[in-house]
């Protein structure tokens, strides 16, 4: 085995997003995959590994590969919710290092806006202490975590609103964002409760959309169209399935996945130039920042205050508008990777973070259940 083999992201793209009533899940993935391969200067014939996740088919990898006309020699359908795609990046890098394949295609697609799922989020078999009592899932689970953080640390709704407002400011700079209208903290606080203490504007969008990421070996990347974005570090973990079984409502397994990613990359927190952090709800971001170690437990509210994460702030975060304002088809993690790569390539125009060299990408899945952290860098 060649232990010197390293991996890079060499192509990224999203499909049409927002509301796409004329497209099904496979079509959105195919559209994103074609654009991502073109972005890399590759074709489907170069792909020898397929990674995807979703609940739209019995065996999504089989259906996707058949639809795309790809016969992979490696396949991975790991599904840990919204953090699946950060996990896929780590798995692809490991597979490349082991010499199992050279070019991996990671995709996701969903029509949650046009065709909302008819089934409940969790089966009664695993949520026997939640669903019978009316806990709305997933928002109710995140509301429980938020309420506990409020009680334990004195965090406020105004502090959570800082995240929503800052993210909307980034969305205003992104022509593809679904929601661009400016909002103020008062707008967040005056929007109706969905599950107290989370207001409507504390919650992610519901959209259609697909995304694709192409990962390649150093040897393959050397001959492609654009400079590679190197996969420097990766970590993943999960702590529970149902919110009832979360060990600590105020601490996610990002503590473990982030620690491993930073150790593998060999860098420190203050070297990160841009952060793309899963924002299913504003509380998701605050908990993640604390668990990753950007601030201490209980200090997340102060950390994000004063529009620190907005354009012009000293901690650029969720620079495409995030799941709160750009898009959120259900499993948002792949879009975090797409934006991070574009930032490191310098392709983001009005929302570009100046001289961005290192990016942290962090996915969260389920009800604060799974986490996966990736650190990316450019030469």
């Amino acid at each position: 085995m060649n232990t010197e083999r390293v991996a890079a992201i060499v192509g990224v793209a999203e499909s049409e997003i927002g509301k796409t009533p004329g497209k099904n899940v496979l079509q959105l993935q195919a559209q994103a995959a074609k654009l991502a391969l073109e972005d890399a200067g590759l074709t489907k014939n170069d792909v020898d590994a397929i990674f995807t996740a979703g609940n739209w088919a019995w065996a999504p990898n089989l259906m996707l590969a058949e639809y795309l006309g790809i016969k992979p020699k490696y396949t991975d359908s790991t599904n840990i919710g919204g953090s699946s795609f950060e996990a896929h990046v780590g798995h692809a890098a490991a597979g490349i290092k082991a010499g199992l394949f050279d070019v991996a295609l990671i995709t996701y697609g969903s029509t949650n806006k046009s065709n909302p799922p008819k089934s409940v989020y969790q089966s009664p078999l695993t949520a026997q202490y939640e669903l019978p009592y009316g806990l709305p899932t997933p928002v109710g689970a995140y509301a429980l975590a938020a309420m506990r953080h409020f009680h334990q640390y004195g965090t406020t709704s105004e502090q959570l609103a800082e995240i929503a407002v800052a993210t909307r400011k980034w969305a205003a700079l992104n022509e593809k964002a679904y929601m661009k209208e400016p909002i103020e903290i008062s707008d967040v606080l005056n929007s109706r409760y969905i599950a107290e203490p989370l207001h409507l504007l504390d919650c992610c969008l519901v959209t259609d959309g697909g995304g694709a990421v192409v990962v390649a070996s150093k040897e393959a990347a050397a001959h492609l169209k654009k400079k590679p974005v190197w996969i420097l570090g990766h970590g993943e973990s999960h702590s529970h399935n149902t919110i009832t079984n979360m060990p600590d409502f105020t601490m996610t397994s990002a503590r473990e996945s982030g620690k491993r990613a930073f150790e593998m990359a060999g860098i420190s927190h203050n070297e990160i130039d841009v952060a793309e952090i899963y924002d299913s709800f504003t509380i998701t971001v605050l908990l993640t920042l604390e668990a990753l170690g950007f601030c201490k437990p209980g200090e997340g509210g102060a950390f994000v205050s004063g529009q620190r994460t907005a354009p012009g702030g000293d901690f650029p975060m969720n620079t495409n508008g995030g799941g709160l304002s750009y898009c959120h088809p259900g499993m948002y993690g792949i879009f975090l990777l797409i934006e991070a790569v574009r930032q490191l390539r310098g392709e983001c125009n009005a929302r570009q973070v100046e001289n961005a060299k290192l990016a942290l990408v962090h996915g969260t899945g389920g009800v604060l259940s799974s986490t996966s952290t990736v650190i990316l860098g450019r030469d």
Side-chain angles (χ1 to χ4, degrees), residues 86-87 89-90 230-237 253-269 271-272 291-292 294 358-363 371-377:
E86 286 70 35
V89 166
W230 301 106
I231 301 164
L232 304 179
H234 168 257
E236 63 189 76
S237 185
S253 61
R255 178 171 54 187
E256 288 74 41
S257 64
K259 182 175 185 291
R260 286 193 285 272
F262 275 106
E263 287 175 351
M264 186 182 296
I267 65 168
S268 60
H269 290 72
E271 294 180 85
I272 296 296
L292 288 173
F294 284 104
L358 290 169
L360 179 138
V361 182
H362 180 85
T371 61
S372 188
T373 312
V374 175
I375 294 177
L376 302 173

Side-chain angles (χ1 to χ4, degrees), residues 63-343:
M63 188 173 288
L64 177 68
E66 180 179 87
Y67 188 78
L68 296 178
I70 295 172
K71 294 182 178 180
K73 60 184 182 184
Y74 189 95
T75 191
D76 185 336
S77 57
T78 297
N79 188 343
I80 51 172
S83 65
S84 298
F85 312 102
E86 286 70 35
H88 290 169
V89 166
H91 299 179
I96 286 170
K97 183 176 181 179
L100 300 177
F101 50 86
D102 280 295
V103 177
L105 175 65
I106 304 169
T107 73
Y108 173 68
S110 166
T111 55
N112 271 5
K113 182 74 172 178
S114 298
N115 298 293
K118 296 181 176 62
S119 60
V120 295
Y121 186 80
Q122 295 177 317
S123 80
L125 183 66
T126 59
Q128 59 183 313
Y129 301 113
E130 299 169 12
L131 290 179
Y133 302 98
L135 182 73
T137 306
V139 63
Y142 285 83
L144 286 172
M147 191 67 82
R148 180 62 194 178
H149 205 277
F150 281 24
H151 169 76
Q152 188 164 322
Y153 294 116
T155 307
T156 66
S157 291
E158 287 82 358
Q159 289 172 327
L160 290 187
E162 291 267 8
I163 296 169
V165 172
T167 310
R168 182 63 64 87
K169 289 177 180 178
W170 285 111
L173 303 176
N174 183 1
E175 61 183 14
K176 296 180 180 179
Y178 194 65
M179 298 292 289
K180 302 186 187 67
E181 297 80 5
I183 56 173
E184 302 294 336
I185 288 175
S186 59
D187 296 317
V188 181
L189 301 181
N190 291 329
S191 63
R192 63 187 174 90
Y193 278 125
I194 302 301
E196 191 177 357
L198 299 179
H199 301 81
L200 175 65
L201 293 178
D202 286 302
C203 303
C204 66
L205 304 172
V206 177
T207 70
D208 302 332
V213 172
V214 182
V215 178
S217 65
K218 182 178 181 180
E219 292 77 8
H223 308 291
L224 302 182
K225 286 170 61 175
K226 296 182 179 179
K227 289 186 177 181
V229 171
W230 301 106
I231 301 164
L232 304 179
H234 168 257
E236 63 189 76
S237 185
H238 47 86
S239 55
H240 60 282
N241 179 33
T242 56
I243 195 67
T244 304
N245 291 287
M246 187 174 183
D248 178 350
F249 281 0
T250 68
M251 180 55 62
T252 78
S253 61
R255 178 171 54 187
E256 288 74 41
S257 64
K259 182 175 185 291
R260 286 193 285 272
F262 275 106
E263 287 175 351
M264 186 182 296
I267 65 168
S268 60
H269 290 72
N270 59 12
E271 294 180 85
I272 296 296
D273 298 305
V274 59
E276 308 296 343
I277 292 177
Y278 205 104
D279 59 341
S280 47
F281 303 93
T282 50
I283 187 62
T284 317
V285 179
L286 189 143
L287 293 176
T288 301
L289 289 168
E290 293 181 0
L292 288 173
F294 284 104
C295 56
K296 294 178 181 179
E299 295 181 358
F303 185 88
V304 301
S305 292
Q307 291 297 281
R308 186 179 188 185
T309 66
D314 65 7
F315 192 83
M317 183 181 75
N318 295 346
T319 52
N320 59 359
L324 291 169
S325 291
Y326 159 59
C327 80
H328 196 294
M331 293 168 65
Y332 178 69
I334 201 161
F335 299 96
L336 299 165
L337 293 160
I338 292 168
E339 176 67 8
V341 169
R342 288 175 173 161
Q343 284 287 344

